Amino acid sequence: MNAKKALRVLALTLALVFMFSAVAAAATPSIIYYKNAAGKVVQADYQAALDQAVAGNTALLDALKKAFVDAQDNFRDIMVKNDDGSVVDWKKALTDKKSYQEAMADSNYAGTEPAHELELVLDESGSVVERPAWPVEMEGLPLISYSDLTQKTYATITIKAEYVDKVTAVTIAGKAAVQQPDRSKWRAEVPAGTTAESLAGKIVITVQQPPAPGQWPAEMEGLPLISYSDLTQKTYATITIKAEYVDKVTAVTIAGKAAVQQPDRSKWRAEVPAGTTAESLAGKIVITVQQLPAPGPVEAIKEIRAKLDLFGQTRVWVFLNEGIEAASVTANGQALQYNAVDQRWEGVLDNLKVGDTVKVVVTTTNGSSDEGTATVVAMGS
């Protein structure tokens, strides 16, 4: 067997290993970068492909599998970015006959996230295409203009309305952009001769991430209010308790400091370090509520799905019945995270195979609980 054929067999074998074996690693493959037949780097959102497959549309996942194997067969570059930001040089690992688990544990296979010109997406017509890469927060194409005053060329991008208040920074072709009086516009200088199309894959938009669900106590209304007292020359954080909890709250701590209940009994205040922001207090507020007898079980779980993915990790999705609010959801004892967009709890489990059982425990915000199980099946089943 010649070298190319041997490597092709190995590539296909490892692809199957991804599907049907467990990868014991904390990081989860999220984005795949591969070179297509034209030598262009394509970004494929592996997580989005899985999400769409769970929803019943496997078109993107099927196309990604095909492109993934084609790149392997033809010895083209493949980089895999994990959800913790690490990158694996999969082409190099594959050449050295390493498993994904081994590659993640060996710094010799650490890769660099490449710049990409194209992205593999499901377009508006339902077809999977490789198209120029533009950030999802961007509206339309960049506008290229020349200033007679400065004698420089500029690129201006427009942010979609729903992202305007969330964008904190923009870079265009490596240059920091400046937000304009029209706050949906960001502008940066670019070299003369730059075209809108040439900026595909070269625009980075930084969006303020909302705190993860569960980091704010269920008893709290809105975000903390940060204020400065001229009298004491100290900074304070004040939280508001929801009306139904005001008579039940017995203590509050904010960033480790005991808070004091205010004359308005729904308010609790504590001193915080100068420079503290409301967002920085996420996960640092503890509200103690008068304990009542534990309620009995409740039917909270609507559906559980557990599917083994391309990389041998089990993706778990838990859907709750309408009106149920969960304080926590675990799968085999591991905490799941809430996906507010798709209204589901999700996570990744290691060391499972097709046929194994996943046990899910849901604890609701009122203290009741529900349990359920699901059998692990292959992705696409």
Side-chain angles (χ1 to χ4, degrees), residues 7 70 75 103 121 124 132 175 205 235 274 317 326 329 332 337:
L7 187 55
D70 181 61
F75 306 97
V121 296
E124 294 75 9
K175 290 286 187 72
I205 298 174
T235 301
W317 297 271
V329 178
N332 286 0
Q337 298 297 314

Side-chain angles (χ1 to χ4, degrees), residues 66 181-182 198 213 240 270 305 315 319 370:
K66 182 177 179 181
D182 175 348
S198 70
T240 301
R305 302 179 193 175
R315 305 283 179 134
F319 301 83
D370 190 17

Side-chain angles (χ1 to χ4, degrees), residues 43-300:
Q43 180 198 70
D45 190 329
Y46 180 50
Q47 181 62 57
L50 292 175
D51 288 344
Q52 290 178 21
V54 169
N57 187 346
T58 64
L60 183 58
L61 183 61
D62 291 342
L64 176 51
K65 288 180 183 177
K66 182 177 179 181
F68 184 78
V69 173
D70 181 61
Q72 289 182 139
D73 285 355
N74 292 280
F75 306 97
R76 295 196 291 267
D77 292 345
I78 300 176
M79 296 285 178
V80 182
K81 182 180 180 182
N82 297 308
D83 60 359
D84 65 356
S86 62
V87 178
V88 173
D89 186 335
W90 181 233
K91 176 187 174 184
K92 183 178 179 182
L94 192 62
T95 302
D96 292 345
K97 302 180 183 179
K98 299 292 183 181
S99 69
Y100 197 75
Q101 176 185 351
E102 291 170 330
M104 283 196 293
D106 191 335
S107 60
N108 289 325
Y109 303 101
T112 301
E113 186 173 8
H116 60 284
E117 300 176 68
L118 304 171
E119 57 184 358
L120 188 72
V121 296
L122 190 68
D123 69 10
E124 294 75 9
S125 69
S127 300
V128 178
V129 297
E130 292 178 350
R131 71 180 184 191
W134 302 109
V136 296
E137 301 87 359
M138 204 173 99
E139 185 80 58
L141 294 180
L143 173 66
I144 308 300
S145 60
Y146 178 78
S147 169
D148 291 326
L149 179 63
T150 64
Q151 296 188 330
K152 293 179 179 179
T153 302
Y154 297 91
T156 303
I157 69 165
T158 301
I159 304 298
K160 292 176 182 176
E162 62 267 32
Y163 292 105
V164 168
D165 293 331
K166 301 176 183 177
V167 172
T168 57
V170 173
T171 60
I172 301 175
K175 290 286 187 72
V178 177
Q179 192 172 28
Q180 304 299 292
D182 175 348
R183 296 178 60 250
S184 68
K185 311 291 186 186
W186 291 75
R187 189 182 79 161
E189 182 187 350
V190 292
T194 296
T195 63
E197 291 74 15
S198 70
L199 293 175
K202 299 177 182 178
I203 296 174
V204 179
I205 298 174
T206 302
V207 177
Q208 181 181 18
Q209 296 299 319
Q215 288 191 318
W216 299 113
E219 302 86 0
M220 203 173 100
E221 184 80 57
L223 293 180
L225 173 66
I226 308 300
S227 60
Y228 178 78
S229 169
D230 291 326
L231 178 63
T232 64
Q233 296 189 329
K234 294 179 179 179
T235 301
Y236 297 91
T238 303
I239 69 165
T240 301
I241 304 298
K242 292 177 181 176
E244 62 267 33
Y245 292 105
V246 169
D247 294 331
K248 301 175 183 178
V249 172
T250 58
V252 173
T253 61
I254 302 175
K257 290 285 188 73
V260 177
Q261 192 172 29
Q262 304 299 292
D264 175 348
R265 297 180 60 251
S266 69
K267 310 290 185 186
W268 290 74
R269 190 181 78 161
E271 181 186 349
V272 292
T276 296
T277 64
E279 291 76 12
S280 70
L281 293 175
K284 299 177 182 178
I285 296 174
V286 179
I287 297 175
T288 303
V289 177
Q290 182 181 10
Q291 296 300 310
L292 299 175
V298 64
E299 189 173 340

